[in-house]
C-alpha cells in the first residue's frame, strides 16, 4: 500500500493522532473542552495562525476507544490548507488531560494518486 504523508492543497483532510497522558498512557474520552480554547491551532507555511473550533461528532472524533485507545481524528477544512508547504498543528490541552504535541505535514498540489504515476508502481497505488 502506498501512503501519502502529505495533505492536498485546498482539500478537506483528516489529521489523525494519539493523545497520551504525562506517563505515556493513551487518553480516551477526550472532549473538545479538553483542548485549549476548544481549538486545534494550525500554522500555515507563512506562519499564519488558524484556530479550528472543535465539535465532538462534527469535526472531532475519537476513532475507537476499545481497539485503538487514544486515537483521534480532526477534520481540517480545505480553507486551512490553502498554501503549499509545511503546515504545523499545535495540539494543546486546556489542563493536564493530555500532553501537548506538534505535528507537521506538507501541503502539496498533488491532486490524485494518478499524479504519482512514475514515482511509484501503479500496483502500489491502491486505496
Amino acid at each position: 500500500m502506498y501512503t501519502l504523508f502529505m495533505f492536498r492543497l485546498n482539500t478537506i483532510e483528516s489529521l489523525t493522532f494519539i493523545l497520551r497522558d504525562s506517563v505515556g498512557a493513551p487518553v480516551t474520552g477526550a472532549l473538545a473542552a479538553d483542548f485549549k480554547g476548544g481549538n486545534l491551532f494550525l500554522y500555515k507555511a507563512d506562519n499564519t495562525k488558524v484556530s479550528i473550533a472543535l465539535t465532538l461528532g462534527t469535526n472531532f472524533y475519537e476513532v475507537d476507544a476499545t481497539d485503538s485507545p487514544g486515537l483521534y481524528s480532526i477534520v481540517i477544512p480545505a480553507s486551512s490548507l490553502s498554501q503549499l508547504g509545511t503546515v504545523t498543528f499545535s495540539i494543546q490541552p486546556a489542563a493536564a488531560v493530555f500532553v501537548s504535541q506538534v505535528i507537521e505535514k506538507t501541503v502539496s498540489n498533488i491532486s490524485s494518486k494518478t499524479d504519482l504515476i512514475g514515482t511509484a508502481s501503479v500496483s502500489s497505488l491502491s486505496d
Side-chain angles (χ1 to χ4, degrees):
M1 180 173 90
Y2 188 86
T3 303
L4 291 177
F5 294 102
M6 61 186 80
F7 287 152
R8 292 167 293 172
L9 184 68
N10 297 317
T11 304
I12 296 171
E13 297 280 1
S14 291
L15 176 68
T16 303
F17 56 93
I18 296 175
L19 290 181
R20 297 190 185 276
D21 65 16
S22 60
V23 295
V27 173
T28 58
L31 304 171
D34 294 328
F35 290 74
K36 184 177 179 181
N39 294 300
L40 169 72
F41 302 103
L42 176 152
Y43 297 87
K44 296 181 181 185
D46 69 353
N47 292 319
T48 301
K49 179 181 176 182
V50 177
S51 296
I52 300 173
L54 302 177
T55 303
L56 188 62
T58 301
N59 68 343
F60 170 57
Y61 304 90
E62 183 169 13
V63 175
D64 185 342
T66 303
D67 293 327
S68 297
L71 191 62
Y72 291 85
S73 181
I74 295 176
V75 177
I76 308 301
S79 60
S80 296
L81 301 173
S82 61
Q83 246 179 44
L84 293 173
T86 302
V87 63
T88 304
F89 299 93
S90 179
I91 302 170
Q92 301 299 318
V97 176
F98 57 84
V99 176
S100 64
Q101 59 182 297
V102 174
I103 299 170
E104 288 186 343
K105 296 280 188 175
T106 300
V107 176
S108 172
N109 59 4
I110 293 175
S111 60
S112 70
K113 290 181 181 178
T114 57
D115 290 346
L116 296 172
I117 293 175
T119 62
S121 68
V122 174
S123 62
S124 69
L125 300 176
S126 61
D127 289 293

